[in-house]
Amino acid sequence: MTFLSFPAWLAWSLLVAAMAAAVGSFLIPPRRITHHVASLLPWRTVLDAPKAASWWARIRRAVSLVLTAAIAAAIALALSKPVAHSNGSTQGRLVIVLDSSWSMGARTPSGRTRWALAVERARTMIAAADGREIAIATTAEGVVAGPTRDTARVTLALDQLMPSGGSDGAWPRVAGARDVHFLTDGAVPRATDVGVVVDSVFTPATNVAVTAFDVQPITPSQDRAEAYLAVTNFAGAAQAVRMTVTRAADVLVTRVVQIGAGETFRDVIPVVSAGDARFRLHISAGENALDIDDDAVSWLWSAQPLRVGIVGEGSLLPGLLAHDASLGVSIVDASAYATAAADVWVFDRWLPPAPPTAALVIEPPGSSWIGKVARQEANPSWQPERTHEILDGVDTEFVRLQKAVAFDRPALRPIARSREGTPLVSVDDGAAGRLVVIGFSTADSNIGSTSAFPILIANAIDWLGRPERGVHRSMGPVALPAATSSVTAPTGQSVPVSRSGNSITARLNAPGLYRIDTGGSSRVMTVALDDPLRSNLQVSGVPPAMTAAQVESARLPPWWTIAAWSALALAAIEWVTWLRRVTV
C-alpha cells in the first residue's frame, strides 16, 4: 500500500500514534466526583445486593474501546490517503483522452461547455484511480501528461487544456494501459483502438454558423468581384440571424434574415476590386451555442497586385504576365537589380550574386549558389507526371524541347523529369526561401506557343508569392512553408511556431487573416472553421450503448473518502450509544 499525502513511514507512524492516543485516552480513568450524603446505609443496601452480569455488560467496555480505536484509525487513513500498491506494474495504467474538436466548446443548456463536462468527468476518474499511473491525452496534442501517480500533476495539466481542433491523427497510445477512456461529444468520427471506453458528453444545442465565405474577382480585368456567403441555422426552429459584411473598417452590408430550421441562407454581394483586400463576415443570433464559427474572413488577391520583377534580355515573360491584372510587372535591368524591389523575381537565363527569398529561374547559368551543370540532355521527352501543384493543368503533350540541363544543387527537388530522368522543373522549399528552376529555355523549345507555358508560369508565381491563394485553412495546427520566419495573428500578436527540420507548424486557434513572413516577403493566410460537421450541435456519432457514464458511476470512491465517511459514521454510533448508556 502507498499513500498520497505522506511518505509511507510517516503515514504508518500517524496511524499507530492516532490509535495509541485514542486507546490511551480511553483507558485514563475519569476523575472521581465527591458527593456528601447524610447516611451510607441506603447505598450499601444497593451496592451489596447480588447482581448477575449480562454478556453485553461484560464486553461493552471492550466494544467501546474498539470503536474509539477504529475512529482514530479511520481519521488517520483519511488524512494520509492510502491507495493500493501496484509494485511498479504498468498493467494498471489509466489513460484519459479528451476530444479536442471545436464543437467541444459548445455551451449546453446549463451554461457549461461540453469541454467543461469532459474535464469534470476526467477529474472524477483521476480521483478514483486508486494510485494507478494516469496519463492525460488529447486528439490534437497526443499525450500531454503522465503516466504518473502524481494526481496533482495530471490535474494541473488537465486544467490547462482547451479545445484546439486538429485533424484526426494517430490515436494516442501509452504502453501498458489497461483502462482507456475517450471523452467526446461524437461530433467528429474518431478511429479509436480496440477496448477504448467511449464516454459521451454530448448534449444537443442550438447553433448558427458561417458555412462558406469567399471573395473572388469575376471579370477578366479583375476590376469587379463578388462576395459569396452561406449561413446555416442548426436548430429545430426558425430564428432571426444578423449578418454583417465588412471590408477592413467599412461596413458593406448589414441585414437580418429569418432562416428556417436546418436551412442555409446564401447570398452574393458585388464589390469593386480596388481598395482594401480584407473582408470579414460576422453573424449573431439568439440561440447560438458556439462562438468560434460566427466569423469568417477572405482576402481579395486582385485588390493588391503582386510585385513581379523580371530580369533577362529578350524574355517572353513581360508580355505574358502583363495580361494578369493581379500582378504588378516591372522589367529590371541586371545592373539595377541590387536597388530594385519585388515580391517575386523571375530570372531568365541570368542569376544575381545571391538568391532572393522567392524566385523563378529559367535555364540559369551555373553559379556558386545554383550549383554547377550536372547533366545535359538533348531532345528530352517530357515524362507525364502530376506530382506538384505547380504542374496542375499543365498539358505537356505538344511540348517539344531541344535541350534540358540539371544542376547539382542538393536542395533542388525535381517535380517533372524527362523519360531518361533529367529534371525539367525543380523546386527548393527551404528555410532561406522558395525557388523554382526550369531547366530549359523558351528559345530552345516550342513551349512558348502552347497552353502549357502560361499555366506553368502562373502556377509557379502563385506558389512563390501567394501559396495560400484560394486556400481556406481550418483552425488548429497548420503546416507552413519551410521558409516561414514568423506568423502574426489578426490581433497583431506573434504566434509561436514549432520547427522540426524543414517542417514548420503553428497552432492558429482563432478565425482571421494571418500574416506569414518568409524572409523578405509576406503572405496572407485565411483561417476559419467553415465546417458544417463541427457546427451542427444537434447530432452525435456516439451511440448511447458505448457511453461509460454508468461504468464510472458504479466505480467505488477512493479509499481515503471511504475512511473519512467511516470515521464520521463510527463517531456518530459511539456518541448515540454512549448517550443511551449502551456503551461506556
Side-chain angles (χ1 to χ4, degrees):
M1 178 179 289
T2 58
F3 301 87
L4 298 180
S5 299
F6 308 111
W9 68 268
L10 182 58
W12 287 115
S13 299
L14 175 64
L15 178 63
V16 172
M19 295 180 66
V23 171
S25 300
F26 184 88
L27 295 178
I28 295 176
R31 187 179 62 178
R32 296 179 177 229
I33 300 175
T34 303
H35 294 278
H36 296 278
V37 296
S39 174
L40 297 178
L41 291 177
W43 296 98
R44 289 187 182 279
T45 303
V46 174
L47 295 175
D48 292 342
K51 293 182 293 183
S54 66
W55 173 81
W56 176 250
R58 290 194 300 268
I59 69 168
R60 68 176 185 171
R61 182 174 176 81
V63 171
S64 185
L65 176 62
V66 171
L67 284 175
T68 302
I71 292 171
I75 294 175
L77 290 174
L79 292 175
S80 59
K81 296 184 178 180
V83 294
H85 200 303
S86 61
N87 296 322
S89 172
T90 62
Q91 298 304 313
R93 283 177 174 170
L94 169 66
V95 181
I96 304 174
V97 183
L98 281 77
D99 188 352
S100 284
S101 298
W102 295 115
S103 58
M104 291 287 285
R107 292 181 295 275
T108 64
S110 65
R112 305 180 65 190
T113 64
R114 295 174 178 176
W115 182 265
L117 297 178
V119 170
E120 181 181 6
R121 190 82 54 86
R123 293 175 71 95
T124 302
M125 295 180 185
I126 293 172
D130 292 339
R132 292 184 296 169
E133 290 188 332
I134 307 169
I136 301 295
T138 71
T139 54
E141 299 166 312
V143 179
V144 295
T148 177
R149 295 189 184 89
D150 188 346
T151 58
R153 177 182 173 186
V154 294
T155 302
L156 178 62
L158 180 67
D159 293 340
Q160 293 175 342
L161 295 174
M162 292 295 293
S164 54
S167 58
D168 186 8
W171 180 257
R173 296 181 175 89
V174 176
R178 185 184 68 185
D179 297 328
V180 182
H181 291 259
F182 181 34
L183 308 181
T184 177
D185 61 357
V188 180
R190 297 283 182 179
T192 63
D193 286 347
V194 177
V196 174
V197 178
V198 180
D199 192 352
S200 175
V201 294
F202 171 75
T203 301
T206 300
N207 190 43
V208 177
V210 178
T211 50
F213 183 63
D214 196 14
V215 184
Q216 291 292 340
I218 59 172
T219 60
S221 61
Q222 301 191 16
D223 59 341
R224 288 185 297 166
E226 287 181 340
Y228 170 79
L229 61 89
V231 179
T232 304
N233 177 26
F234 297 102
Q239 63 174 322
V241 180
R242 183 182 181 88
M243 299 180 296
T244 303
V245 179
T246 58
R247 185 173 191 173
D250 299 329
V251 178
L252 299 182
V253 175
T254 297
R255 67 179 63 166
V256 178
V257 296
Q258 193 77 9
I259 305 179
E263 294 182 354
T264 299
F265 173 82
R266 297 177 175 86
D267 197 7
V268 176
I269 303 171
V271 297
V272 295
S273 292
D276 201 288
R278 298 168 294 171
F279 288 80
R280 176 180 292 271
L281 169 62
H282 175 74
I283 64 171
S284 59
E287 298 292 333
N288 191 15
L290 190 62
D291 297 333
I292 206 164
D293 56 8
D294 294 345
D295 290 276
V297 295
S298 184
W299 179 269
L300 182 56
W301 296 99
S302 60
Q304 292 189 359
L306 186 70
R307 298 176 303 168
V308 179
I310 302 175
V311 184
E313 187 176 352
S315 175
L316 299 178
L317 273 297
L320 174 65
L321 300 181
H323 297 287
D324 190 343
S326 68
L327 303 179
V329 181
S330 61
I331 303 174
V332 180
D333 189 82
S335 60
Y337 166 77
T339 58
D343 298 317
V344 174
W345 284 101
V346 178
F347 304 131
D348 195 346
R349 290 166 293 177
W350 181 85
L351 284 178
T357 56
L360 168 61
V361 182
I362 301 176
E363 197 190 20
S367 71
S368 59
W369 63 268
I370 198 71
K372 298 180 179 179
V373 176
R375 182 175 181 178
Q376 183 169 323
E377 181 182 350
N379 300 317
S381 178
W382 198 305
Q383 177 74 22
E385 294 182 23
R386 295 292 182 271
T387 59
H388 199 276
E389 58 194 276
I390 292 178
L391 302 177
D392 289 346
V394 178
D395 184 3
T396 60
E397 182 179 358
F398 300 104
V399 175
R400 300 293 180 266
L401 307 177
Q402 298 180 13
K403 181 182 64 173
V405 294
F407 300 88
D408 61 0
R409 180 181 174 90
L412 282 178
R413 178 171 65 89
I415 61 173
R417 298 176 182 268
S418 69
R419 295 188 182 275
E420 295 184 6
T422 302
L424 303 178
V425 182
S426 304
V427 298
D428 181 358
D429 187 8
R434 280 187 161 184
L435 185 68
V436 178
V437 177
I438 298 178
F440 54 88
S441 69
T442 55
D444 295 330
S445 68
N446 70 335
I447 192 171
S449 60
T450 68
S451 61
F453 187 58
I455 297 175
L456 176 64
I457 299 300
N459 289 347
I461 290 178
D462 273 350
W463 186 78
L464 291 167
R466 299 184 292 214
E468 311 304 331
R469 179 174 180 174
V471 177
H472 292 269
R473 299 296 183 99
S474 296
M475 295 181 296
V478 175
L480 300 173
T484 301
S485 57
S486 64
V487 179
T488 304
T491 58
Q493 297 178 334
S494 179
V495 178
V497 297
S498 175
R499 301 178 183 271
S500 178
N502 282 338
S503 175
I504 297 182
T505 305
R507 190 173 293 278
L508 311 181
N509 290 340
L513 296 169
Y514 289 78
R515 191 182 76 229
I516 314 298
D517 294 320
T518 55
S521 62
S522 298
R523 300 157 180 167
V524 175
M525 178 185 295
T526 59
V527 175
L529 189 59
D530 285 351
D531 188 348
L533 186 64
R534 289 168 172 81
S535 295
N536 187 357
L537 307 178
Q538 297 286 316
V539 297
S540 173
V542 180
M546 294 180 63
T547 64
Q550 296 82 5
V551 176
E552 288 305 316
S553 63
R555 186 186 292 271
L556 289 176
W559 286 17
W560 67 271
T561 59
I562 295 177
W565 283 108
S566 299
L568 180 62
L570 291 174
I573 293 172
E574 174 71 5
W575 177 254
V576 172
T577 55
W578 179 82
L579 288 177
R580 299 187 64 85
R581 296 296 186 266
V582 177
T583 57
V584 176

